[in-house]
Amino acid sequence: MNRTAALTLVALTATTVAAPAAIAGPKPKPITKTYTATAPMPDPTNVAGGYTVCAQTVPQSFHIEEFKVPAAGTLKVELTEYEVDWDLLLMDAKDKEIASSGSGGVGEPEIAQVKFKKAGVVQIVACNWSGGPTGQVTYTFTYK
């Protein structure tokens, strides 16, 4: 092989190896949403019912928001701005618990975080254990 052919081959190989990274582009921006969870009826039995927290046995004691996980990444959910004691539960599409937070303390943030390998559905459950009627939920999904 002559020198010009060898240099051309090296240049083509380098371009081919670098091309997938250039095609992939930048990682999508995180998805963030904040909303008010409304649950006017406290439920002091929220540790019963098969979940760590948020048993969902008393009507109007919990608020469910669905989030469609678009791809692999991490979902962080934070429950704040509630009075007395609320808890946080994350469930998959089959109502199976995947994360929870019930130890934030009176008025302290409840935080749950989950890593996903692929797209799916998450149900965010904010529940009123013994507090006021509303809390603020903020979630952020960050792509892998």
Side-chain angles (χ1 to χ4, degrees):
M1 180 183 294
N2 68 32
R3 185 178 178 124
T4 304
L7 289 174
T8 302
L9 181 60
V10 169
L12 286 173
T13 304
T15 303
T16 304
V17 171
I23 293 170
K27 183 167 56 168
K29 292 182 180 180
I31 299 168
T32 300
K33 180 178 178 181
T34 299
Y35 62 91
T36 299
T38 303
M41 296 295 297
D43 180 5
T45 67
N46 86 2
V47 293
Y51 298 112
T52 307
V53 296
C54 299
Q56 304 163 60
T57 55
V58 174
Q60 298 185 346
S61 68
F62 56 94
H63 181 116
I64 299 177
E65 181 93 3
E66 186 175 279
F67 174 69
K68 292 181 181 177
V69 176
T74 302
L75 177 66
K76 180 180 179 183
V77 183
E78 186 170 359
L79 171 62
T80 59
E81 297 184 30
Y82 58 86
E83 295 174 3
V84 190
D85 198 356
W86 278 53
D87 293 325
L88 182 63
L89 173 68
L90 303 182
M91 301 184 304
D92 65 14
K94 296 180 181 178
D95 296 337
K96 181 181 174 193
E97 180 174 335
I98 55 176
S100 67
S101 177
S103 60
V106 175
E108 294 296 317
E110 298 289 353
I111 300 170
Q113 185 168 312
V114 180
K115 290 184 180 182
F116 294 90
K117 294 181 181 179
K118 60 183 182 176
V121 175
V122 175
Q123 297 177 69
I124 301 168
V125 184
C127 57
N128 181 353
W129 188 69
S130 64
T134 62
Q136 181 172 294
V137 178
T138 300
Y139 65 77
T140 301
F141 177 80
T142 306
Y143 290 86
K144 183 176 177 183

